[in-house]
Amino acid sequence: MNMMIEVRDLVKAYSDATVVNIPALHVAPGETIGLVGNNGAGKTTLFRMLLDLVRPTDGVVTSKGIPVAHTDAWKYYTGSHLDEGFLIDYLTPEEYFKFIGDLHGLSTGDVLERLQPFTDLFNGEILQQRKYIRDFSKGNQKKVGIAAAALSHPELLILDEPFANLDPSSQIRLKNLLRSLHEQHGMTMLISSHDLSHVIEVCKRIVILEKGKIVQDMQTTEDTLQALEAYFTV
Amino acid sequence: MFGTLLDLQWKQTRRSPAYQKSLVVKIILGFFIIYFALIFIALGFFSHKILAEVYPDQSPVVSFNSFLLFYFLIDLVSRFMLQDLPVLAIQPFLHLPVKRNKLVHFVLLRSIPSVFNLLMLLVFVPFMLRAVVPAHGIGIALVWLASLLLLTFINNFILIYFKRQLTSNPKITLLLALVVGGLMLLDYWQVLSLRQVSLVAFGALLQQPWLILVPLLGLVGVYLLNYRFLMQHLYPEEIFIKRVATVEGSDMAFLNRFGDTGKLIALELKLIWRHKRPKSMVMISAFLLFYGLIFYTNKVYLEGWGMLIFVGIFVTGAPMFNYGQFVPAWQSAHYDALLTRPITTYQYVRAKYLMFVPSILLVTVLTLPYALFGTKVLLINLASCVFNIGVNSIVVLYFAALNKERLDLSNGSAFNWQGVGASKFVMMLPMVLTPIAIFLPFSLMDIPQWGIFALALTGAVGILFHRQLLGMMAKRLEDRKYTLAAGFRQH
């Protein structure tokens, strides 16, 4: 079986520092992986390389056996939201969802139906606001981005700190939403977060990144939270 | 305190990304600035001669005065279209122990040293030295100049007051333009002569210098108006924060016929419509339609060929050059989104191409009336149109791959050098020189008509192979995408 993501000898070095150095990382279809690590650990850079937004200094990333660099095939089954740069902020959320839906051949009805599970998360503040995305708060922008990433029911979902900027209720709703998306569609997920308890609840496998290297790679168990807290306690 | 604020303002300018350009760009910009400054100075220097020729029966000063009121009205209209509110960088001081009235005075006075206020001095001062001083003496001349400056500042503060109240309402601008146009017509039909009024008013000023009190009082008035308004509204959400725009624009369903490329075009049209910078760029492009008049009305140019080809290329391609020079940086804020979505680079490039082509066709149709200056002009413009579609559109896309600077779309485009790099100037060279180079051999052989034909033919070949050429440009953009994406992420 092809791996959803396979990383081999991946290195990203800027003139003075190596920010990512991962000899191997395999993500099987249907896995949910939580990526944790302090600021500067290289999480976002790793995600950008998975999405072919940054050219690796060395090594390859393959998705379903095909290198992601300069190919388009993975874009059809990968949904992602890293930061505001992924939003087309002069559109209204509806226009944006429609645009993304169109790219994946979804009708307006499909889009509405797929946004249904997001009703709670949106909390009545996203749709029918007659506002451009750029005028929304950071938290609401994040909700738009996550919904757009999941809209096509991608096989692979990549989210960078989805819980940041969200209020506590929204965090809990998002957690449940991600779990149900995984259960219903078998989505493979790669999620980075600073919130250890949330990420453990959503992900069955935790990868700790430190200074660009994978220092631990473990399956989530009852003791994982303790282990993580112990690890991050200075 | 004022000194500190000024110092900070200076640092802000010095350290802004727009200022930190490469030496080459600075030199080129400097060259352009000097060039235009010289034109204005020359205009001021020789206008008394020109006026004496056109209106031999009155003194140049009187003729000059008669145009001043119209000049200030037109100045006001163009300010409404082009001038932005001065950037209000005082938000960080509002919570500090700084007197509010100081901040307000600072904001207002800060608006005076700007291109819009000082540019015309380049004309006024030479004219004063050459014509007003000899006729009325240095003292009166200085009063005359001072009152012109005061009127300029009055315009400045009127603009600031209205823009702050209404943000920028195109309807008001249009109304104002219509009023001024109407006054000009009335003047032309000699129903109500504003020129006569202007002549009398400024003539009186020259006789009785104390009348300078009138514009001075006017300036104090508008200044106080602004001051009071700002003092009462010194809350970030009332004056600093952009007003949340109401949603406009529709689906543009007809573009769906073109599939994914059509959707990309619709997306981009919304981008143009919903941001200040591209919108004002469209407006400037509309003005450039009249660029031809400068040349077509001059016999020297009309008899030659070379200059007309330059004008033809420039006029029919103006919107494409204006907009295309910043492709793909227009989308710098969400370039990552485009890269991770199922859009191929070819589709992306093709969408740009399919925007360029109609823009060129539209402009060409709009410039058809230039045929009144002769069929030669018409032929050259049609050939230029074909050449722009076939060749220059590709050149624009070729240089697009060099635009790795993030573009700030929220400011107007007049005098806005943010994101302007050396490649913008370099790209003008092949676009203008290539057509001349194609034309030149035929001109030397004394068969210029064939040169125009060759120009059109080259364009046609480009159109014929546009798929292959677009493919090459897509490849080039693809190769540089990491550089572009990394550049766009830098604020």
Side-chain angles (χ1 to χ4, degrees):
Chain A
M1 186 173 64
N2 260 332
M3 285 288 159
M4 185 57 84
I5 290 280
E6 202 172 344
V7 169
R8 278 196 305 272
D9 302 321
L10 194 65
V11 177
K12 180 66 195 179
Y14 292 101
S15 54
D16 48 351
T18 304
V19 291
V20 171
N21 182 1
I22 299 176
L25 176 68
H26 299 269
V27 180
E31 264 194 304
T32 46
I33 299 188
L35 199 60
V36 294
N38 290 330
N39 292 337
K43 301 184 296 291
T44 308
T45 310
L46 173 60
F47 279 170
R48 288 209 171 117
M49 285 194 283
L50 297 184
L51 294 168
D52 193 32
L53 291 172
V54 166
R55 189 200 302 274
T57 313
D58 203 5
V60 269
V61 176
T62 58
S63 180
K64 293 192 180 178
I66 304 168
V68 294
H70 299 300
T71 56
D72 292 318
W74 57 271
K75 292 178 189 171
Y76 290 89
Y77 59 83
T78 306
S80 52
H81 182 72
L82 301 193
D83 52 33
E84 309 89 76
F86 281 57
L87 297 169
I88 302 179
D89 63 359
Y90 58 87
L91 299 181
T92 63
E94 286 91 344
E95 286 175 331
Y96 182 51
F97 293 139
K98 170 136 181 21
F99 176 69
I100 302 293
D102 279 343
L103 289 177
H104 289 278
L106 302 176
S107 70
T108 313
D110 290 341
V111 171
L112 284 180
E113 189 193 314
R114 286 171 184 223
L115 288 174
Q116 206 58 47
F118 286 86
T119 315
D120 277 348
L121 182 68
F122 284 173
N123 201 23
E125 291 167 355
I126 305 289
L127 298 176
Q128 275 115 44
Q129 298 296 300
R130 297 195 56 74
K131 267 204 310 193
Y132 297 132
I133 296 176
R134 63 181 176 214
D135 296 327
F136 280 96
S137 71
K138 280 260 183 284
N140 281 337
Q141 286 184 349
K142 184 137 256 170
K143 291 179 191 175
V144 172
I146 294 170
L151 193 66
S152 61
H153 289 164
E155 293 172 48
L156 173 63
L157 183 68
I158 299 182
L159 300 175
D160 194 13
E161 300 195 28
F163 300 108
N165 290 326
L166 295 189
D167 58 80
S169 310
S170 295
Q171 292 184 18
I172 292 166
R173 284 173 181 147
L174 177 63
K175 208 161 59 184
N176 297 332
L177 189 66
L178 289 174
R179 277 211 299 239
S180 81
L181 281 174
H182 173 65
E183 279 160 24
Q184 285 175 14
H185 308 285
M187 268 183 214
T188 314
M189 292 185 182
L190 269 167
I191 293 169
S192 81
S193 179
H194 290 307
D195 192 306
L196 301 175
S197 64
H198 286 333
V199 80
I200 286 169
E201 280 183 60
V202 177
C203 301
K204 302 202 177 78
R205 181 178 156 197
I206 301 291
V207 171
I208 305 180
L209 215 56
E210 190 181 304
K211 297 196 176 117
K213 293 199 174 72
I214 294 180
V215 287
Q216 282 192 45
D217 188 343
M218 54 193 172
Q219 297 297 320
T220 313
T221 61
E222 286 155 20
D223 309 323
T224 309
L225 184 58
Q226 275 181 330
L228 285 178
E229 275 171 355
Y231 179 85
F232 283 108
T233 304
V234 283
Chain B
M1 192 57 224
F2 249 77
T4 320
L5 286 176
L6 265 180
D7 181 47
L8 288 174
Q9 182 85 45
W10 173 243
K11 282 201 178 107
Q12 188 192 13
T13 320
R14 277 299 307 265
R15 293 174 185 178
S16 77
Y19 193 86
Q20 289 164 352
K21 294 190 182 305
S22 68
L23 191 64
V24 186
V25 179
K26 277 184 192 158
I27 291 174
I28 298 176
L29 278 182
F31 174 78
F32 273 109
I33 290 170
I34 292 172
Y35 173 75
F36 283 110
L38 283 178
I39 288 183
F40 275 93
I41 291 173
L43 190 67
F45 217 69
F46 296 109
S47 51
H48 76 284
K49 283 209 169 130
I50 303 170
L51 286 172
E53 245 175 61
V54 183
Y55 303 100
D57 48 343
Q58 54 188 14
S59 87
V61 179
V62 173
S63 318
F64 197 85
N65 280 345
S66 73
F67 286 110
L68 280 174
L69 269 189
F70 270 123
Y71 160 70
F72 283 113
L73 283 176
I74 293 170
D75 176 58
L76 192 61
V77 175
S78 51
R79 277 167 194 270
F80 265 91
M81 284 192 276
L82 298 175
Q83 191 176 359
D84 282 325
L85 280 181
V87 182
L88 290 177
I90 59 166
Q91 195 165 3
F93 303 102
L94 287 176
H95 65 108
L96 296 176
V98 183
K99 284 226 170 67
R100 283 156 57 94
N101 57 4
K102 279 229 166 99
L103 285 177
V104 171
H105 279 307
F106 179 74
V107 167
L108 289 175
L109 292 177
R110 172 69 192 75
S111 70
I112 286 190
S114 91
V115 191
F116 289 98
N117 293 331
L118 305 176
L119 189 67
M120 281 319 279
L121 277 182
L122 294 178
V123 177
F124 291 156
V125 172
F127 181 79
M128 177 191 86
L129 292 176
R130 295 270 285 184
V132 188
V133 173
H136 300 273
I138 181 82
I140 302 256
L142 282 177
V143 169
W144 177 84
L145 182 70
S147 58
L148 294 192
L149 259 186
L150 290 175
L151 284 167
T152 310
F153 295 160
I154 288 178
N155 268 356
N156 180 54
F157 286 115
I158 290 179
L159 171 100
I160 292 178
Y161 184 72
F162 277 102
K163 275 228 163 162
R164 195 149 278 152
Q165 308 255 319
L166 314 161
T167 53
S168 65
N169 190 336
K171 277 182 209 138
I172 301 276
T173 313
L174 192 68
L175 193 74
L176 204 64
L178 283 178
V179 168
V180 175
L183 282 172
M184 280 177 165
L185 270 182
L186 288 180
D187 192 87
Y188 181 77
W189 291 327
Q190 302 187 327
V191 179
L192 179 116
S193 179
L194 205 61
R195 277 171 56 195
Q196 205 60 39
V197 177
S198 176
L199 189 154
V200 171
F202 288 95
L205 178 78
L206 287 173
Q207 300 306 320
Q208 298 175 318
W210 59 267
L211 280 174
I212 191 179
L213 283 177
V214 176
L216 189 65
L217 285 177
L219 179 62
V220 171
V222 279
Y223 187 88
L224 285 180
L225 200 65
N226 271 293
Y227 178 79
R228 278 190 44 198
F229 178 77
L230 276 183
M231 278 304 265
Q232 282 161 8
H233 295 90
L234 207 56
Y235 293 98
E237 57 176 16
E238 286 182 27
I239 44 172
F240 305 115
I241 304 295
K242 56 187 167 117
R243 269 148 243 218
V244 173
T246 47
V247 174
E248 43 191 333
S250 61
D251 253 3
M252 293 180 263
F254 66 97
L255 285 168
N256 288 341
R257 240 179 289 163
F258 298 97
D260 284 351
T261 312
K263 276 162 207 136
L264 285 176
I265 295 176
L267 191 67
E268 193 131 0
L269 291 178
K270 280 181 191 154
L271 180 138
I272 296 175
W273 189 244
R274 291 175 184 181
H275 289 98
K276 202 166 175 188
R277 189 161 177 180
K279 222 163 137 180
S280 68
M281 195 158 254
V282 171
M283 211 133 80
I284 290 176
S285 299
F287 274 107
L288 286 177
L289 282 177
F290 300 101
Y291 189 69
L293 285 178
I294 302 177
F295 296 89
Y296 297 148
T297 49
N298 191 325
K299 270 218 175 77
V300 183
Y301 295 127
L302 211 53
E303 275 161 19
W305 290 83
M307 208 54 180
L308 292 185
I309 294 178
F310 165 73
V311 176
I313 293 284
F314 191 80
V315 168
T316 57
M320 174 177 78
F321 298 152
N322 270 338
Y323 190 78
Q325 62 175 331
F326 291 118
V327 168
W330 292 113
Q331 284 140 325
S332 50
H334 56 273
Y335 202 61
D336 283 349
L338 297 177
L339 289 181
T340 51
R341 291 294 174 186
I343 300 162
T344 65
T345 320
Y346 181 78
Q347 278 174 334
Y348 181 78
V349 170
R350 185 159 170 259
K352 303 284 172 214
Y353 185 74
L354 289 181
M355 283 179 63
F356 291 161
V357 174
S359 85
I360 297 169
L361 290 176
L362 178 72
V363 175
T364 308
V365 170
L366 288 177
T367 51
L368 279 183
Y370 279 146
L372 290 175
F373 291 100
T375 40
K376 186 163 102 176
V377 170
L378 180 70
L379 282 180
I380 289 177
N381 283 358
L382 289 178
S384 302
C385 162
V386 180
F387 188 83
N388 273 331
I389 294 177
V391 181
N392 277 345
S393 58
I394 305 292
V395 177
V396 169
L397 290 172
Y398 180 86
F399 279 95
L402 299 176
N403 291 335
K404 58 183 165 84
E405 223 178 314
R406 192 183 172 98
L407 204 61
D408 174 17
L409 303 187
S410 52
N411 291 314
S413 63
F415 303 110
N416 188 349
W417 299 106
Q418 194 272 325
V420 177
S423 67
K424 309 288 179 303
F425 302 106
V426 180
M427 97 182 204
M428 282 311 286
L429 292 179
M431 293 201 291
V432 174
L433 292 185
T434 320
I436 305 277
I438 292 172
F439 170 77
L440 200 61
F442 296 94
S443 172
L444 293 177
M445 286 186 281
D446 228 17
I447 40 171
Q449 290 86 347
W450 284 95
I452 301 304
F453 183 68
L455 199 64
L457 197 67
T458 318
V461 172
I463 295 173
L464 204 62
F465 290 103
H466 77 273
R467 281 208 178 81
Q468 289 77 356
L469 290 168
L470 287 181
M472 282 157 67
M473 295 309 121
K475 172 86 173 48
R476 184 174 147 81
L477 210 57
E478 180 77 36
D479 288 344
R480 297 204 17 111
K481 73 173 189 179
Y482 303 112
T483 321
L484 294 178
F488 292 159
R489 265 179 233 129
Q490 271 158 19
H491 287 257

